[in-house]
Amino acid sequence: MALSKIKRILLAEDNENDIELTLAALQEYRLSNEVTVVRDGAEALDYIYQRGDFASRAKGLPCVVLLDLKMPRIDGLEVLRQIKADPALRRIPVVMLTSSREEKDLIESYDLGVNAFVVKPVDFEQFLQAIRAVGVFWAIVNESPLPKSRAA
């Protein structure tokens, strides 16, 4: 698999262990040229809208947003709501990557337009396999409707 064709991933996660495991899985399977980690929903929105600390980041949108549900300041559902309500952003694939098994979270995520809802496995190997599957599909297999100049 040619690494140059693999896009940027935005990981919005506040749990350090989950960040480390996710990055390790993505790196082990070489599923991304760049993974930007933000630790709350406000940072995720700043990254996407290129404002605040991310005002000077490279142009382009991530090929996928891996979004934790329960985060400080702004939760994952509100980030999802804002992304999917914005005509310029709504086509960015968003994968809710969460430990929540609550049906109301699943239903609300899909009502807001989430592209996938993945419950984080507790087992290390299963976690790696889940991240690998998500990464392969969204970063490699999936064809993005984003204009080539917008996705990066």
Side-chain angles (χ1 to χ4, degrees):
M1 128 182 35
L3 198 57
S4 63
K5 294 182 181 180
I6 299 172
K7 311 283 190 221
R8 188 176 346 165
I9 293 173
L10 177 62
L11 172 62
E13 172 64 66
D14 64 322
N15 181 298
E16 287 300 323
N17 289 334
D18 288 350
I19 291 170
E20 287 180 33
L21 289 174
T22 302
L23 292 176
L26 292 170
Q27 184 176 24
E28 179 178 344
Y29 296 110
R30 296 195 317 250
L31 296 177
S32 177
N33 284 336
E34 177 186 337
V35 179
T36 299
V37 177
V38 294
R39 286 169 173 77
D40 63 50
E43 284 186 1
L45 292 170
D46 283 351
Y47 177 87
I48 290 167
Y49 284 106
Q50 276 190 272
R51 61 189 186 203
D53 290 343
F54 299 101
S56 62
R57 75 164 173 81
K59 293 204 180 303
L61 297 170
C63 70
V64 64
V65 176
L66 304 179
L67 186 61
D68 187 25
L69 189 63
K70 313 280 191 216
M71 290 187 294
R73 298 196 316 167
I74 298 175
D75 70 13
L77 289 173
E78 182 56 31
V79 173
L80 175 64
R81 182 178 287 109
Q82 290 188 37
I83 290 171
K84 296 304 182 177
D86 186 329
L89 303 175
R90 74 176 72 168
R91 291 189 180 119
I92 298 173
V94 177
V95 176
M96 200 62 77
L97 190 59
T98 180
S99 54
S100 174
R101 295 185 179 276
E102 293 184 34
E103 186 175 0
K104 70 176 184 62
D105 291 335
L106 174 71
I107 290 168
E108 188 171 3
S109 294
Y110 275 105
D111 285 348
L112 292 171
V114 79
N115 297 90
F117 191 96
V118 177
V119 177
K120 299 174 195 172
V122 176
D123 177 77
F124 175 73
E125 285 302 319
Q126 289 178 345
F127 186 90
L128 290 178
Q129 290 305 315
I131 296 300
R132 178 183 181 273
V134 165
V136 166
F137 182 78
W138 291 106
I140 298 172
V141 175
N142 185 55
E143 288 291 328
S144 173
L146 296 172
K148 297 296 184 210
S149 64
R150 299 279 319 261

